[in-house]
Structures are given as C-alpha cells and as structure tokens.
Amino acid sequence: MPGADWKSVPGVKPGVITGDAAWALMAHAKANGYAIPAFNCTTSSSCNAVLEAAAKADRPIMIQFSEGGSAFYAGKSLPNKKYEASILGAVSGAHHVRQVAASYGVTVFVHSDHCAKKLLPWFDGMLAADREYFDKHGEPLFSSHMLDLSEEPDEENIAICAKYFKEMAPMKLILEMEIGITGGVEDGVDNSDVARDKLYSQPEDTYKVWEALSPISPMFTIAAAFGNVHGVYKAGNVKLQPELLGNFQKYLAEKLGKPADAKPFFFVFHGGSGSEKKDIEAALANGVVKMNVDTDTQWAYWKGILDFYKSNEDKLQGQMGNSKGPDEPNKSYYDPRKWLREAEVSMVGRVKEACVDLKNVN
C-alpha cells in the first residue's frame, strides 16, 4: 500500500515534527502517491479527535489553526483588535498538540492556515513564538505556516511570501502559499462571487513562485487553483481540473531540464470537502502532498452531538425527570464529557475516512 514504510523516513518520530524530518515526510508522500490530511481545529477536543484517529490509523496527520479558529481557541471574550487572541490561541493550540501527541504515538505536523494580508500581524505573532521556541529547543514551535495572499496581485503576493520565507528559512519552517483563488467562503474571506476563470492557475503563475522561492529554501508548497471551492457542495457540482497540476509539473520540469514525470512541485489541495474520489486520486497522481478538510469534520463533530440528543432526548430536558420517572437524575447525560465525547467519536470516523481517501493508509 502507498507509504507503508513512512516510519523509516529519517527523523520521523511520535510527536510534532519540523524541519528536515517534516519535509522528508512530505517528499515521501509525493514519491509514494499519498497525501497528509490537514484538519482545522478550534478546541483541544477537536485536536484530540484528530490525534485519536491518527493513532487508530497509525498514520501521520496534520492539525492546523485558522485565525478565527485560533481566536476561538483562546476565548471569544478576549480582545483581538491587534490579533492578540488569535496569536495566543494558535500558540496555545500548538503547545497542546506538542504536550499530548507523543502519548498518542502520533506523528503530527502543526500548521497555521489561510493568512490574508490583513491578518499579517497574526502571522508575525506566530513567527515570534517560533523564534522563541527555536532559541530554546533548536526547532520552531510550528511545523509550517500558510500565507494566503491570493487576493493581491501576483507580484505582491509572491514578493511578500519571499520576504517572510527568508525569515522562516533559518528555522526550517515550511511555507505554504496560494496562487490563484479558491472559491467559496473560508474564515471570513468571501470569494463566492469570483469569476470562474480566476479559479484556475496557469503554468506561468506557478513558475513565478518557483523562481522567487526556490533560491531561498526548497521547503515550500503551493496551493495552486484548479477549480477549488471552500465549503460544502454536492459532489460533481464543482468543476475541478486536477490535471492542471500535472501540466504545471511538466512545465517546470521542462524549465529545469528534468524528465516530464519529475514532479518538482509540492502541491496542496484546498476545498477538499465534497470532492469526488476520482478528482482526489488525480490530484495525488499530480503531486498533491496535503489536503485540507474542515467542512466535513465540522459536520461530523456536530452529528455526534445530534445523534446523542436524538437517542436521549427525554433525559436532556431538565436536570431531573425523564421517561423513567420525575425524580430520575439526568446528570450523566448532560455532563459535557458525555456529549462532547460522542462528537469526538464521530469526528474520528471522518478523519479516518479522509486518510483512506488520500491513500494515507498502511
């Protein structure tokens, strides 16, 4: 099966991986035709569900935090005008994962998701935490970060990415950047009305990224647009063209004088929820090493609570009194540990399904 020997990759171990080991594992994924699913988390509970699923699948996994999700992690009542709560939440989430991941026996990347230009103070705060951790431990706090400057002109997008990448490279942080636009709505960025032709990158676009970033470090991935849309949609309603990624690979391979099947790019698949299996398989074949999953796991988490409520509705109408009698206590049903656990179990199942979809299986 794809990637069955992933534990032999140098530096791979239980816990958070960074630097050379993290990049080598991504290279292993690309070479062996699988990808690492990345799950947006907003609480320690959702982080634990991802880790539990990874432990049961015995596969590497990625936990990522968006700016809004990070603010929620820290607490919605905290001030966030300067993104201080978002910085605190992302850093807290990263430390939580570092504290518990090894106990699960899981190899995990910790990543920050979608940082638009207006959110750069959040990015700066996370980099400051990376530097502080690096000075103490010889590695950054996070494994990787994403800059999503796809709303800006390509030249500005790439220039800002290069500026930050120069700061990240000495710590061997992986940079994920986006060229082209992913449709739909994600963490407050609304691209639902973007013209359809903007949802497809061109070979020249990705080559410009390579020219700017590869002299700094090889450790970067590209979320190139091939019709991707964030959010929920019926399978087949979004016209993905993962074969475009293959065209981008061939274009760069020719520029570099490499064989046509060299696949020098490391690609990321955004808007993966609702995708048809054939499109996922085609994306893997064309160099996708990471796919984001959020909408589907949100639903799975909620469905665990919904099903629990439906099964125990009579016991969830008051502290006392149910179908067994008016004096029967209901504490064991409304205890958050009971219904949140059902949410986690449901989410674990969806995380494992994503691993299968991405051939991230033993």
Side-chain angles (χ1 to χ4, degrees):
M1 297 295 284
D5 61 341
W6 66 277
K7 291 182 181 179
S8 67
V9 175
V12 167
K13 60 179 179 20
V16 173
I17 58 169
T18 64
D20 291 331
W23 190 245
L25 187 51
M26 284 194 168
H28 185 270
K30 185 171 68 166
N32 288 275
Y34 68 97
I36 298 165
F39 301 95
N40 287 73
C41 293
T42 57
T43 62
S44 59
S45 173
S46 51
C47 288
N48 294 347
V50 173
L51 294 171
E52 180 180 346
K56 289 181 175 179
D58 191 28
R59 295 298 301 180
I61 211 88
M62 186 175 291
I63 287 175
Q64 58 189 24
F65 303 98
S66 68
E67 183 271 328
S70 297
F72 186 87
Y73 199 106
K76 290 292 285 184
S77 67
L78 292 178
N80 202 32
K81 289 184 178 180
K82 297 181 179 179
Y83 303 103
E84 55 266 51
S86 296
I87 295 166
L88 177 61
V91 170
S92 297
H95 277 291
H96 170 76
V97 175
R98 279 192 171 273
Q99 283 291 104
V100 302
S103 295
Y104 281 86
V106 168
T107 297
V108 59
F109 297 75
V110 179
H111 179 70
S112 65
D113 196 21
H114 286 285
C115 180
K117 186 177 180 180
K118 64 184 178 182
L119 304 179
L120 286 176
W122 173 54
F123 201 92
D124 293 333
M126 291 186 292
L127 280 187
D130 280 315
R131 292 189 201 97
E132 182 180 354
Y133 198 89
F134 186 87
D135 289 343
K136 293 179 180 178
H137 304 283
E139 66 174 340
L141 177 63
F142 292 81
S143 311
S144 52
H145 295 291
M146 183 194 182
L147 284 169
D148 179 2
L149 303 166
S150 56
E151 293 180 305
E152 316 307 323
D154 286 353
E155 292 73 17
E156 183 179 4
N157 175 357
I158 295 170
I160 294 174
C161 285
K163 170 185 174 293
Y164 275 100
F165 200 30
K166 289 175 183 176
E167 296 181 41
M168 296 167 65
M171 294 182 281
K172 294 188 176 180
L173 274 161
I174 298 169
L175 171 67
E176 178 185 330
M177 67 85 67
E178 183 164 334
I179 196 78
I181 292 176
T182 300
V185 179
E186 175 74 5
D187 211 40
V189 177
D190 188 348
N191 289 327
S192 55
D193 294 327
V194 168
R196 181 161 290 277
D197 64 327
K198 299 293 185 182
L199 303 179
Y200 301 94
S201 298
Q202 300 299 316
E204 295 81 5
D205 301 334
T206 53
Y207 181 60
K208 284 188 291 185
V209 175
W210 178 272
E211 283 187 304
L213 300 187
S214 62
I216 301 170
S217 166
M219 295 181 179
F220 66 93
T221 62
I222 302 176
F226 56 99
N228 320 60
V229 175
H230 288 127
V232 62
Y233 51 85
K234 184 178 179 181
N237 280 7
V238 171
K239 304 302 180 185
L240 294 175
Q241 296 183 27
E243 64 274 9
L244 290 177
L245 300 179
N247 295 341
F248 305 157
Q249 297 282 23
K250 291 175 185 177
Y251 187 86
L252 178 59
E254 183 178 349
K255 290 282 189 182
L256 298 177
K258 295 181 178 291
D261 61 351
K263 299 178 188 173
F265 281 124
F266 287 69
F267 285 127
V268 175
F269 188 157
H270 282 206
S273 295
S275 298
E276 295 187 86
K277 307 301 184 188
K278 64 179 180 62
D279 288 331
I280 295 175
E281 290 185 6
L284 295 178
N286 288 313
V288 163
V289 296
K290 169 184 180 266
M291 186 175 86
N292 292 1
V293 184
D294 185 21
T295 304
D296 287 352
T297 44
Q298 286 180 349
W299 173 254
Y301 196 88
W302 161 247
K303 191 173 186 301
I305 298 172
L306 177 63
D307 290 346
F308 178 78
Y309 180 84
K310 288 179 177 178
S311 298
N312 300 283
E313 187 171 356
D314 69 301
K315 303 174 185 69
L316 295 167
Q317 305 307 311
Q319 287 187 287
M320 296 187 68
N322 55 50
S323 58
K324 294 182 179 179
D327 297 327
E328 288 292 320
N330 295 319
K331 186 181 186 307
S332 62
Y333 295 92
Y334 63 76
D335 184 333
R337 291 172 294 182
K338 194 68 175 279
W339 47 269
L340 279 175
R341 177 55 187 159
E342 294 304 315
E344 292 173 357
V345 169
S346 181
M347 185 171 168
V348 165
R350 186 60 186 84
V351 171
K352 289 171 67 178
E353 181 183 339
C355 287
V356 173
D357 289 344
L358 295 177
K359 300 183 180 181
N360 187 35
V361 291
N362 290 322

